[in-house]
Amino acid sequence: MPVKALTAAGVCLALLGAAVAWLLLGRETSPRCNGLAENASVQKSMGAAIQPGMSCAALGEAIVKATSGGEPGRHTQAQAQVMKDVLFALGRVQPKNVDLDPALRVPLATALADYGPDLHEMLAGFDSEYVLKAGHDTPPWETGGTYHLSVYDSMFRKTLRAVAEDPRAYAVLRMAETHTTAERLAAVPADTTGRQLSLQPTRNARALGILDGIADAAAGQDAQQARKWHDTVFGRLLNEQGPARAYPDDPAGHLTAAWLQQLKNTPDEERPERMRGQGHDMARAWAQARNMDERVRQGLLAEVERSEMLAYREMKP
């Protein structure tokens, strides 16, 4: 018996030692800052902005500076290339889920928010140019006086999911998409009819629906944790609320302010559901501002609601 007991104890100790060693080695070999500073493409595009031994917070700041233009939403090819290389570096290393360093979440959201139109198109997934130019070897391209970028859909979504773990970062992304949604609606010509009239609202709803699914995943299953996550998001969004504007004077500003006011007027416990209907709510405010025919408006809103719900379900596991 003593021999057997000693043998069993030895086996247990060996297993325990192996487990401890695995944990320690795993921590030691896990790349700092998701290996971004060591990635050859990121090093090449960022150059001297990457310094040896820099913290993840400092690296995040460097990424924001290297990707942002002198004017919001305006980028050189070199700046857009940095953004693309960073997204590929994160997506390629971890094929299923990106376990993003917490210090990188808000900076990456801030950097992505400066690429609002690209964020929108990659979320919606309708623009064929963004699909065809998503490969790593395809450089950013110029249209409208700025450079645009695209990455593979699956890679982009899982990176956003990792960024959204921080509710502050998610709020940055959500606000960027809100501004783009409003701008795209405001840009629809007044004489647009038929299928073209519902095209932009349904594209918007799809982009917002993808973000809705990401929000559910980031908030988690625990009710208390999810409530805390959502409270932070809504607090940040409502801090962005500006003065009410008349639609003819500032169409995009009117639509943004109107939705934020709706969110503010919604009871706390109902705000997650209100956010999941953002595409519908903004399209309704837009239709009302344009004095749209009631029959046309109802048909359009039904399409928008369906688009947002399908995108939301698409993101569910």
Side-chain angles (χ1 to χ4, degrees), residues 195-287:
R195 181 73 187 92
Q196 291 300 313
L197 185 64
S198 62
L199 183 61
Q200 191 57 58
T202 52
R203 289 166 71 111
N204 292 344
R206 175 167 173 77
L208 289 164
I210 297 298
L211 283 179
D212 291 337
I214 289 172
D216 269 14
Q221 299 297 314
D222 180 77
Q224 185 174 1
Q225 175 187 330
R227 184 164 55 251
K228 183 178 179 181
W229 188 92
H230 277 110
D231 286 347
T232 301
V233 169
F234 297 137
R236 293 271 170 162
L237 291 177
L238 293 176
N239 279 340
E240 297 290 329
Q241 187 178 16
R245 299 174 173 88
Y247 186 82
D249 298 333
D250 182 6
H254 171 85
L255 295 172
T256 299
W259 182 72
L260 288 174
Q261 187 62 47
Q262 277 188 305
L263 187 66
K264 183 178 181 179
N265 294 342
T266 302
D268 292 355
E269 64 276 9
E270 297 175 16
R271 282 177 178 170
E273 188 64 30
R274 170 63 70 187
M275 189 165 69
R276 284 193 287 272
Q278 183 181 355
H280 179 275
D281 288 344
M282 292 188 74
R284 181 176 57 196
W286 174 70

Coordinates of all heavy atoms in Angstrom, one line a residue, residues 195-287:
R195 N -36.7 50.6 -56.2 CA -35.7 49.8 -55.5 C -34.6 50.6 -55.0 O -34.0 50.4 -54.0 CB -35.2 48.7 -56.5 CG -34.2 47.8 -55.8 CD -34.8 46.8 -54.9 NE -33.9 46.0 -54.1 CZ -33.3 46.4 -52.9 NH1 -33.7 47.5 -52.4 NH2 -32.5 45.6 -52.3
Q196 N -34.2 51.7 -55.8 CA -33.1 52.5 -55.4 C -33.4 53.2 -54.1 O -32.4 53.6 -53.3 CB -32.8 53.5 -56.5 CG -32.2 52.9 -57.7 CD -30.9 52.2 -57.5 OE1 -30.0 52.7 -56.8 NE2 -30.8 50.9 -58.0
L197 N -34.7 53.5 -53.8 CA -35.0 54.2 -52.6 C -34.7 53.4 -51.3 O -34.3 53.9 -50.3 CB -36.5 54.6 -52.6 CG -37.0 55.5 -51.4 CD1 -36.3 56.8 -51.5 CD2 -38.5 55.6 -51.5
S198 N -34.9 52.1 -51.4 CA -34.7 51.2 -50.2 C -33.3 50.7 -50.1 O -32.9 50.1 -49.1 CB -35.7 50.1 -50.2 OG -35.6 49.2 -51.4
L199 N -32.5 50.8 -51.2 CA -31.2 50.2 -51.2 C -30.3 50.7 -50.1 O -29.7 49.9 -49.3 CB -30.5 50.5 -52.6 CG -29.1 49.9 -52.8 CD1 -29.3 48.4 -52.7 CD2 -28.6 50.3 -54.1
Q200 N -30.2 52.0 -49.9 CA -29.3 52.5 -48.9 C -29.8 52.2 -47.5 O -29.0 51.8 -46.6 CB -29.0 54.0 -49.0 CG -27.9 54.5 -48.1 CD -26.6 53.8 -48.4 OE1 -26.1 53.8 -49.5 NE2 -26.0 53.2 -47.3
P201 N -31.1 52.4 -47.2 CA -31.5 52.1 -45.8 C -31.3 50.6 -45.4 O -31.0 50.3 -44.3 CB -33.0 52.4 -45.9 CG -33.1 53.4 -46.9 CD -32.1 53.1 -48.0
T202 N -31.5 49.7 -46.4 CA -31.3 48.3 -46.1 C -29.8 47.9 -45.9 O -29.5 47.1 -45.1 CB -31.9 47.4 -47.2 OG1 -31.4 47.8 -48.5 CG2 -33.4 47.5 -47.2
R203 N -29.0 48.6 -46.7 CA -27.5 48.4 -46.5 C -27.1 48.9 -45.1 O -26.3 48.3 -44.4 CB -26.7 49.2 -47.6 CG -26.8 48.6 -49.0 CD -26.3 49.5 -50.0 NE -24.9 49.7 -49.9 CZ -24.0 49.3 -50.9 NH1 -24.5 48.6 -51.9 NH2 -22.8 49.5 -50.8
N204 N -27.6 50.1 -44.7 CA -27.3 50.6 -43.4 C -27.8 49.6 -42.3 O -27.1 49.3 -41.3 CB -28.1 51.9 -43.2 CG -27.5 53.0 -44.0 OD1 -26.4 53.0 -44.6 ND2 -28.3 54.1 -44.2
A205 N -29.0 49.1 -42.5 CA -29.5 48.2 -41.5 C -28.7 46.9 -41.4 O -28.5 46.4 -40.3 CB -31.0 47.8 -41.9
R206 N -28.2 46.4 -42.5 CA -27.3 45.2 -42.4 C -26.0 45.5 -41.7 O -25.6 44.7 -40.8 CB -27.0 44.8 -43.8 CG -26.0 43.6 -43.8 CD -25.9 42.9 -45.2 NE -24.8 41.9 -45.1 CZ -24.9 40.7 -44.5 NH1 -26.1 40.4 -43.9 NH2 -23.9 39.9 -44.5
A207 N -25.4 46.7 -41.9 CA -24.2 47.0 -41.2 C -24.5 47.1 -39.7 O -23.7 46.6 -38.9 CB -23.6 48.3 -41.7
L208 N -25.6 47.8 -39.3 CA -25.9 47.9 -37.9 C -26.3 46.6 -37.3 O -26.0 46.3 -36.1 CB -27.1 48.9 -37.8 CG -26.7 50.4 -38.0 CD1 -27.9 51.2 -38.3 CD2 -25.8 50.9 -36.9
G209 N -26.9 45.7 -38.1 CA -27.3 44.4 -37.6 C -26.1 43.5 -37.3 O -26.1 42.8 -36.3
I210 N -25.0 43.6 -38.1 CA -23.8 42.9 -37.8 C -23.2 43.4 -36.4 O -22.8 42.7 -35.6 CB -22.7 43.1 -38.9 CG1 -23.2 42.5 -40.2 CG2 -21.4 42.5 -38.5 CD1 -23.5 41.0 -40.2
L211 N -23.2 44.8 -36.2 CA -22.8 45.3 -35.0 C -23.6 44.9 -33.8 O -23.2 44.8 -32.7 CB -22.7 46.9 -35.1 CG -21.6 47.5 -35.9 CD1 -21.7 49.0 -35.9 CD2 -20.2 47.0 -35.3
D212 N -24.9 44.7 -34.1 CA -25.8 44.2 -33.0 C -25.4 42.8 -32.5 O -25.3 42.5 -31.3 CB -27.3 44.1 -33.5 CG -27.9 45.5 -33.8 OD1 -27.4 46.5 -33.2 OD2 -28.8 45.5 -34.6
G213 N -25.1 42.0 -33.5 CA -24.6 40.6 -33.1 C -23.3 40.6 -32.4 O -23.1 39.9 -31.5
I214 N -22.4 41.5 -32.8 CA -21.1 41.7 -32.1 C -21.3 42.2 -30.7 O -20.7 41.7 -29.8 CB -20.2 42.7 -32.9 CG1 -19.7 42.0 -34.2 CG2 -19.0 43.1 -32.1 CD1 -19.0 42.9 -35.1
A215 N -22.3 43.1 -30.5 CA -22.6 43.6 -29.2 C -23.1 42.4 -28.3 O -22.7 42.3 -27.1 CB -23.7 44.7 -29.3
D216 N -24.0 41.6 -28.8 CA -24.4 40.4 -28.0 C -23.3 39.6 -27.5 O -23.2 39.1 -26.4 CB -25.5 39.6 -28.8 CG -26.9 40.1 -28.6 OD1 -27.0 41.2 -28.0 OD2 -27.8 39.4 -28.9
A217 N -22.4 39.3 -28.4 CA -21.3 38.4 -28.1 C -20.3 39.1 -27.1 O -19.8 38.4 -26.2 CB -20.5 38.0 -29.4
A218 N -20.1 40.3 -27.3 CA -19.2 41.1 -26.4 C -19.8 41.2 -25.0 O -19.0 41.2 -24.0 CB -18.8 42.4 -27.0
A219 N -21.1 41.5 -24.9 CA -21.7 41.7 -23.6 C -21.7 40.5 -22.7 O -21.6 40.5 -21.5 CB -23.1 42.2 -23.8
G220 N -21.8 39.3 -23.4 CA -21.7 38.0 -22.6 C -23.1 37.6 -22.1 O -24.1 38.3 -22.2
Q221 N -23.1 36.4 -21.5 CA -24.3 35.7 -21.1 C -24.7 36.1 -19.7 O -25.9 36.0 -19.3 CB -24.2 34.2 -21.2 CG -23.9 33.7 -22.6 CD -25.1 34.0 -23.5 OE1 -26.3 33.8 -23.2 NE2 -24.8 34.5 -24.7
D222 N -23.7 36.5 -18.9 CA -24.0 36.9 -17.5 C -24.8 38.2 -17.5 O -24.4 39.2 -18.0 CB -22.7 37.0 -16.7 CG -23.0 37.5 -15.3 OD1 -23.3 36.6 -14.5 OD2 -22.8 38.7 -15.0
A223 N -26.0 38.2 -16.8 CA -26.9 39.3 -16.9 C -26.2 40.6 -16.3 O -26.4 41.7 -16.8 CB -28.2 39.0 -16.1
Q224 N -25.6 40.4 -15.1 CA -24.9 41.6 -14.5 C -23.8 42.2 -15.4 O -23.7 43.4 -15.5 CB -24.4 41.2 -13.1 CG -23.9 42.4 -12.3 CD -23.5 42.0 -10.9 OE1 -23.6 40.8 -10.5 NE2 -23.0 43.0 -10.1
Q225 N -23.0 41.3 -15.9 CA -21.9 41.7 -16.8 C -22.5 42.4 -18.0 O -21.9 43.5 -18.5 CB -21.1 40.5 -17.2 CG -20.0 40.9 -18.2 CD -19.2 39.6 -18.7 OE1 -19.1 38.6 -17.9 NE2 -18.8 39.7 -19.9
A226 N -23.5 41.8 -18.6 CA -24.1 42.4 -19.8 C -24.7 43.8 -19.5 O -24.5 44.7 -20.4 CB -25.2 41.5 -20.4
R227 N -25.3 43.9 -18.4 CA -25.9 45.2 -18.1 C -24.8 46.3 -17.9 O -25.0 47.4 -18.4 CB -26.7 45.1 -16.8 CG -27.5 46.4 -16.4 CD -28.5 46.1 -15.3 NE -28.0 45.4 -14.2 CZ -28.3 44.1 -13.9 NH1 -29.1 43.4 -14.7 NH2 -27.8 43.6 -12.8
K228 N -23.7 45.9 -17.2 CA -22.6 46.8 -17.0 C -22.0 47.2 -18.4 O -21.7 48.4 -18.6 CB -21.6 46.2 -16.1 CG -20.4 47.1 -15.8 CD -19.4 46.4 -14.9 CE -18.2 47.3 -14.6 NZ -17.3 46.7 -13.7
W229 N -21.9 46.3 -19.3 CA -21.3 46.5 -20.6 C -22.2 47.5 -21.4 O -21.7 48.5 -21.9 CB -21.1 45.2 -21.4 CG -20.4 45.3 -22.7 CD1 -19.1 45.1 -22.9 CD2 -21.0 45.6 -23.9 NE1 -18.8 45.3 -24.2 CE2 -20.0 45.6 -24.9 CE3 -22.3 45.8 -24.4 CZ2 -20.2 45.8 -26.2 CZ3 -22.5 46.1 -25.7 CH2 -21.5 46.1 -26.6
H230 N -23.5 47.2 -21.4 CA -24.4 48.1 -22.1 C -24.5 49.5 -21.5 O -24.6 50.5 -22.2 CB -25.8 47.4 -22.1 CG -26.0 46.4 -23.2 ND1 -26.1 45.1 -22.9 CD2 -26.1 46.5 -24.5 CE1 -26.3 44.4 -24.0 NE2 -26.2 45.3 -25.0
D231 N -24.5 49.6 -20.2 CA -24.6 50.9 -19.5 C -23.4 51.8 -20.0 O -23.6 53.0 -20.2 CB -24.6 50.7 -18.0 CG -25.9 50.2 -17.5 OD1 -26.9 50.2 -18.2 OD2 -26.0 49.8 -16.3
T232 N -22.2 51.2 -20.1 CA -21.0 51.9 -20.5 C -21.2 52.4 -21.9 O -20.9 53.5 -22.3 CB -19.8 51.1 -20.3 OG1 -19.6 50.7 -19.0 CG2 -18.5 51.8 -20.8
V233 N -21.7 51.5 -22.8 CA -21.9 51.8 -24.2 C -22.9 53.0 -24.3 O -22.6 54.0 -25.0 CB -22.4 50.6 -25.0 CG1 -22.9 51.0 -26.4 CG2 -21.3 49.5 -25.1
F234 N -24.0 52.9 -23.7 CA -25.0 53.9 -23.8 C -24.6 55.2 -23.2 O -24.9 56.3 -23.8 CB -26.3 53.4 -23.1 CG -26.9 52.2 -23.8 CD1 -27.5 51.2 -23.0 CD2 -26.9 52.1 -25.2 CE1 -28.0 50.0 -23.6 CE2 -27.5 50.9 -25.8 CZ -28.0 49.9 -25.0
G235 N -23.8 55.2 -22.1 CA -23.3 56.4 -21.5 C -22.4 57.1 -22.5 O -22.5 58.3 -22.7
R236 N -21.6 56.3 -23.2 CA -20.6 56.9 -24.2 C -21.4 57.5 -25.4 O -21.1 58.6 -25.9 CB -19.7 55.9 -24.6 CG -18.7 55.4 -23.6 CD -17.5 56.3 -23.6 NE -16.6 56.0 -22.4 CZ -15.3 56.4 -22.3 NH1 -14.8 57.0 -23.3 NH2 -14.6 56.1 -21.2
L237 N -22.4 56.8 -25.9 CA -23.2 57.2 -27.0 C -23.9 58.5 -26.7 O -23.9 59.5 -27.5 CB -24.1 56.1 -27.5 CG -23.5 54.9 -28.1 CD1 -24.6 53.9 -28.4 CD2 -22.8 55.2 -29.4
L238 N -24.5 58.5 -25.5 CA -25.3 59.7 -25.2 C -24.5 60.9 -24.9 O -24.9 62.1 -25.0 CB -26.2 59.4 -24.0 CG -27.3 58.4 -24.3 CD1 -28.1 58.1 -23.1 CD2 -28.3 58.9 -25.4
N239 N -23.2 60.7 -24.6 CA -22.3 61.8 -24.4 C -22.0 62.5 -25.8 O -21.5 63.7 -25.8 CB -21.0 61.4 -23.8 CG -21.0 61.2 -22.3 OD1 -21.9 61.8 -21.7 ND2 -20.1 60.5 -21.8
E240 N -22.3 61.8 -26.9 CA -22.1 62.4 -28.2 C -23.3 63.1 -28.7 O -23.3 63.7 -29.8 CB -21.8 61.2 -29.2 CG -20.5 60.4 -28.9 CD -19.3 61.2 -29.2 OE1 -19.3 62.1 -30.1 OE2 -18.3 61.0 -28.5
Q241 N -24.4 63.2 -27.9 CA -25.6 63.8 -28.4 C -25.4 65.3 -28.5 O -24.9 66.0 -27.6 CB -26.7 63.5 -27.4 CG -28.1 64.1 -27.9 CD -29.2 63.7 -26.9 OE1 -28.9 63.3 -25.8 NE2 -30.4 63.8 -27.4
G242 N -25.7 65.8 -29.7 CA -25.6 67.3 -29.9 C -26.9 67.9 -30.0 O -28.0 67.3 -29.7
P243 N -27.0 69.2 -30.3 CA -28.3 69.9 -30.3 C -29.1 69.4 -31.5 O -28.6 69.0 -32.5 CB -27.9 71.4 -30.5 CG -26.5 71.3 -31.2 CD -25.9 70.1 -30.6
A244 N -30.5 69.5 -31.3 CA -31.4 69.1 -32.4 C -31.2 70.1 -33.6 O -31.0 71.3 -33.4 CB -32.8 69.2 -31.9
R245 N -31.2 69.5 -34.8 CA -31.0 70.2 -36.0 C -32.2 70.0 -36.9 O -32.8 68.9 -37.0 CB -29.7 69.8 -36.7 CG -28.5 70.0 -35.9 CD -27.3 69.5 -36.6 NE -26.0 69.8 -36.0 CZ -25.4 69.1 -35.0 NH1 -26.1 68.0 -34.6 NH2 -24.3 69.4 -34.5
A246 N -32.6 71.0 -37.7 CA -33.6 70.9 -38.7 C -33.1 70.1 -39.8 O -31.9 70.2 -40.3 CB -34.1 72.2 -39.1
Y247 N -33.9 69.2 -40.4 CA -33.4 68.3 -41.5 C -33.0 69.1 -42.7 O -31.9 68.7 -43.2 CB -34.6 67.3 -41.9 CG -34.1 66.3 -42.9 CD1 -33.4 65.2 -42.5 CD2 -34.4 66.5 -44.3 CE1 -33.0 64.2 -43.5 CE2 -33.9 65.6 -45.2 CZ -33.2 64.4 -44.8 OH -32.8 63.5 -45.7
P248 N -33.7 70.1 -43.2 CA -33.2 70.8 -44.4 C -31.8 71.5 -44.1 O -31.0 71.6 -45.1 CB -34.3 71.9 -44.6 CG -35.5 71.3 -43.9 CD -35.0 70.6 -42.7
D249 N -31.5 71.9 -42.9 CA -30.3 72.6 -42.6 C -29.1 71.6 -42.5 O -28.0 72.0 -42.9 CB -30.4 73.4 -41.4 CG -31.5 74.5 -41.5 OD1 -31.7 75.0 -42.6 OD2 -32.0 74.9 -40.4
D250 N -29.3 70.5 -41.9 CA -28.3 69.5 -41.7 C -28.9 68.1 -41.6 O -29.2 67.6 -40.5 CB -27.5 69.8 -40.4 CG -26.4 68.9 -40.0 OD1 -26.1 68.0 -40.9 OD2 -25.8 69.0 -39.0
P251 N -29.2 67.5 -42.8 CA -29.9 66.2 -42.8 C -29.2 65.1 -41.9 O -29.8 64.4 -41.1 CB -29.9 65.8 -44.2 CG -29.8 67.1 -45.0 CD -28.9 68.0 -44.1
A252 N -27.9 65.0 -42.1 CA -27.2 63.9 -41.3 C -27.2 64.2 -39.9 O -27.4 63.3 -39.0 CB -25.7 63.8 -41.9
G253 N -26.9 65.5 -39.5 CA -26.9 65.9 -38.1 C -28.3 65.7 -37.5 O -28.4 65.2 -36.3
H254 N -29.4 66.0 -38.2 CA -30.7 65.8 -37.7 C -31.0 64.3 -37.4 O -31.6 64.0 -36.4 CB -31.7 66.3 -38.8 CG -33.2 65.9 -38.5 ND1 -34.0 66.7 -37.7 CD2 -33.9 64.9 -38.9 CE1 -35.1 66.1 -37.6 NE2 -35.2 65.0 -38.3
L255 N -30.6 63.4 -38.3 CA -30.9 62.0 -38.2 C -30.1 61.4 -37.0 O -30.6 60.6 -36.2 CB -30.6 61.2 -39.5 CG -31.4 61.6 -40.7 CD1 -30.9 60.9 -41.9 CD2 -32.9 61.2 -40.4
T256 N -28.8 61.8 -36.9 CA -28.0 61.4 -35.7 C -28.6 61.8 -34.4 O -28.8 61.0 -33.5 CB -26.6 61.9 -35.9 OG1 -26.0 61.4 -37.1 CG2 -25.7 61.4 -34.7
A257 N -28.9 63.1 -34.3 CA -29.5 63.7 -33.1 C -30.8 63.0 -32.7 O -31.1 62.8 -31.5 CB -29.6 65.2 -33.2
A258 N -31.6 62.8 -33.8 CA -33.0 62.2 -33.5 C -32.8 60.8 -32.9 O -33.6 60.4 -32.0 CB -33.8 62.2 -34.8
W259 N -31.9 60.0 -33.4 CA -31.8 58.7 -32.9 C -31.2 58.7 -31.5 O -31.7 57.9 -30.6 CB -30.9 57.8 -33.8 CG -30.8 56.4 -33.2 CD1 -31.8 55.5 -33.2 CD2 -29.7 55.8 -32.5 NE1 -31.4 54.3 -32.6 CE2 -30.2 54.5 -32.1 CE3 -28.5 56.2 -32.2 CZ2 -29.3 53.7 -31.4 CZ3 -27.6 55.4 -31.5 CH2 -28.1 54.1 -31.1
L260 N -30.2 59.5 -31.2 CA -29.7 59.6 -29.9 C -30.7 60.1 -28.9 O -30.7 59.6 -27.7 CB -28.5 60.5 -29.9 CG -27.2 59.9 -30.6 CD1 -26.1 61.0 -30.6 CD2 -26.7 58.7 -29.9
Q261 N -31.6 60.9 -29.3 CA -32.7 61.4 -28.4 C -33.7 60.2 -28.1 O -34.1 60.1 -27.0 CB -33.5 62.5 -29.1 CG -34.5 63.2 -28.2 CD -33.9 63.8 -26.9 OE1 -32.9 64.5 -27.0 NE2 -34.4 63.5 -25.7
Q262 N -33.9 59.4 -29.2 CA -34.8 58.2 -28.9 C -34.1 57.3 -27.9 O -34.8 56.8 -27.0 CB -35.0 57.5 -30.3 CG -36.1 58.0 -31.1 CD -36.3 57.1 -32.3 OE1 -35.4 56.8 -33.1 NE2 -37.6 56.7 -32.5
L263 N -32.8 57.1 -28.1 CA -32.1 56.2 -27.1 C -32.2 56.8 -25.7 O -32.4 56.1 -24.8 CB -30.7 56.1 -27.6 CG -29.8 55.1 -26.8 CD1 -30.3 53.7 -27.1 CD2 -28.3 55.2 -27.3
K264 N -32.0 58.1 -25.6 CA -32.1 58.8 -24.3 C -33.4 58.6 -23.7 O -33.6 58.4 -22.4 CB -31.7 60.2 -24.4 CG -31.6 61.0 -23.1 CD -31.2 62.4 -23.4 CE -31.1 63.2 -22.0 NZ -30.7 64.6 -22.2
N265 N -34.5 58.7 -24.5 CA -35.9 58.6 -23.9 C -36.3 57.2 -23.6 O -37.4 57.0 -23.0 CB -36.8 59.3 -25.0 CG -36.6 60.7 -25.1 OD1 -36.0 61.4 -24.3 ND2 -37.1 61.3 -26.3
T266 N -35.5 56.2 -24.0 CA -35.9 54.8 -23.8 C -35.4 54.4 -22.4 O -34.3 54.7 -22.0 CB -35.2 53.9 -24.8 OG1 -35.6 54.3 -26.1 CG2 -35.5 52.5 -24.6
P267 N -36.3 53.7 -21.6 CA -35.9 53.2 -20.3 C -34.6 52.4 -20.3 O -34.4 51.7 -21.3 CB -37.1 52.4 -19.8 CG -38.2 53.0 -20.6 CD -37.7 53.4 -21.9
D268 N -33.8 52.4 -19.3 CA -32.5 51.8 -19.3 C -32.6 50.3 -19.7 O -31.8 49.8 -20.6 CB -31.8 51.9 -17.9 CG -31.4 53.3 -17.6 OD1 -31.6 54.2 -18.5 OD2 -31.0 53.5 -16.4
E269 N -33.5 49.6 -19.2 CA -33.6 48.1 -19.4 C -34.1 47.8 -20.9 O -33.9 46.7 -21.3 CB -34.6 47.5 -18.4 CG -36.0 47.9 -18.5 CD -36.3 49.2 -17.7 OE1 -35.4 49.8 -17.3 OE2 -37.5 49.5 -17.6
E270 N -34.6 48.8 -21.6 CA -35.1 48.6 -22.9 C -34.1 49.1 -24.0 O -34.3 48.9 -25.2 CB -36.5 49.3 -23.1 CG -37.6 48.7 -22.2 CD -38.9 49.5 -22.4 OE1 -39.0 50.3 -23.4 OE2 -39.7 49.3 -21.5
R271 N -33.0 49.7 -23.5 CA -32.1 50.3 -24.5 C -31.4 49.3 -25.4 O -31.1 49.5 -26.6 CB -31.1 51.2 -23.8 CG -31.7 52.5 -23.4 CD -30.7 53.4 -22.6 NE -31.3 54.7 -22.3 CZ -30.8 55.6 -21.5 NH1 -29.6 55.3 -20.9 NH2 -31.3 56.7 -21.3
P272 N -31.0 48.1 -24.9 CA -30.4 47.1 -25.8 C -31.3 46.8 -27.0 O -30.9 46.6 -28.1 CB -30.2 45.9 -24.9 CG -30.0 46.5 -23.6 CD -30.9 47.6 -23.5
E273 N -32.6 46.6 -26.7 CA -33.6 46.3 -27.8 C -33.7 47.5 -28.7 O -33.8 47.4 -29.9 CB -34.9 46.0 -27.2 CG -35.9 45.4 -28.2 CD -35.5 44.1 -28.8 OE1 -34.8 43.3 -28.2 OE2 -35.9 43.9 -30.0
R274 N -33.7 48.7 -28.2 CA -33.8 49.9 -29.0 C -32.6 50.0 -29.9 O -32.7 50.4 -31.1 CB -33.9 51.2 -28.1 CG -33.7 52.5 -28.8 CD -34.8 52.7 -29.8 NE -36.1 53.0 -29.1 CZ -37.3 53.1 -29.8 NH1 -37.3 53.0 -31.1 NH2 -38.4 53.3 -29.1
M275 N -31.4 49.7 -29.4 CA -30.2 49.7 -30.3 C -30.3 48.7 -31.4 O -29.9 49.0 -32.5 CB -28.9 49.5 -29.4 CG -27.7 49.7 -30.2 SD -26.2 49.8 -29.1 CE -26.0 48.1 -28.6
R276 N -30.9 47.5 -31.1 CA -31.1 46.5 -32.2 C -32.1 47.0 -33.3 O -32.1 46.3 -34.3 CB -31.5 45.2 -31.6 CG -30.4 44.5 -30.9 CD -30.7 43.0 -30.6 NE -31.7 42.9 -29.5 CZ -31.4 42.8 -28.2 NH1 -30.1 42.9 -27.8 NH2 -32.3 42.7 -27.3
G277 N -32.8 48.1 -33.0 CA -33.7 48.6 -34.0 C -33.2 49.9 -34.6 O -34.0 50.6 -35.2
Q278 N -31.9 50.2 -34.5 CA -31.4 51.5 -34.9 C -31.6 51.7 -36.4 O -32.0 52.8 -36.8 CB -30.0 51.7 -34.6 CG -29.4 53.0 -34.9 CD -27.9 53.2 -34.6 OE1 -27.3 52.3 -34.0 NE2 -27.3 54.3 -35.0
G279 N -31.4 50.7 -37.2 CA -31.5 50.9 -38.7 C -32.9 51.2 -39.0 O -33.2 52.1 -39.9
H280 N -33.9 50.6 -38.4 CA -35.3 50.9 -38.6 C -35.7 52.3 -38.1 O -36.4 53.0 -38.8 CB -36.2 49.8 -37.9 CG -37.6 50.0 -38.0 ND1 -38.4 50.9 -37.2 CD2 -38.5 49.5 -38.9 CE1 -39.6 50.8 -37.6 NE2 -39.8 50.0 -38.6
D281 N -35.2 52.6 -36.9 CA -35.5 53.9 -36.4 C -35.0 55.1 -37.2 O -35.7 56.1 -37.4 CB -35.0 54.0 -34.9 CG -35.8 53.2 -34.0 OD1 -36.9 52.8 -34.3 OD2 -35.3 52.9 -32.8
M282 N -33.7 54.9 -37.7 CA -33.2 56.0 -38.5 C -33.8 56.1 -39.8 O -34.0 57.2 -40.4 CB -31.6 55.8 -38.6 CG -30.9 56.0 -37.2 SD -29.1 56.0 -37.4 CE -28.8 57.6 -38.1
A283 N -34.2 55.0 -40.4 CA -34.9 55.0 -41.7 C -36.2 55.6 -41.5 O -36.7 56.3 -42.4 CB -35.0 53.6 -42.2
R284 N -36.9 55.4 -40.4 CA -38.2 56.0 -40.2 C -38.1 57.5 -40.1 O -38.9 58.2 -40.7 CB -38.9 55.4 -39.0 CG -40.3 55.9 -38.7 CD -40.9 55.2 -37.5 NE -40.0 55.3 -36.3 CZ -40.1 54.6 -35.2 NH1 -41.0 53.6 -35.2 NH2 -39.3 54.8 -34.2
A285 N -37.1 57.9 -39.3 CA -36.9 59.4 -39.2 C -36.6 60.0 -40.5 O -37.1 61.1 -40.8 CB -35.8 59.7 -38.2
W286 N -35.8 59.3 -41.3 CA -35.5 59.8 -42.7 C -36.7 59.9 -43.6 O -36.9 60.9 -44.3 CB -34.4 58.9 -43.2 CG -34.0 59.1 -44.7 CD1 -33.3 60.1 -45.2 CD2 -34.3 58.2 -45.8 NE1 -33.1 59.9 -46.5 CE2 -33.7 58.8 -46.9 CE3 -35.0 57.0 -45.9 CZ2 -33.7 58.2 -48.1 CZ3 -35.0 56.4 -47.1 CH2 -34.4 57.0 -48.2
A287 N -37.5 58.8 -43.5 CA -38.8 58.8 -44.3 C -39.7 59.9 -43.9 O -40.3 60.6 -44.8 CB -39.4 57.5 -44.2

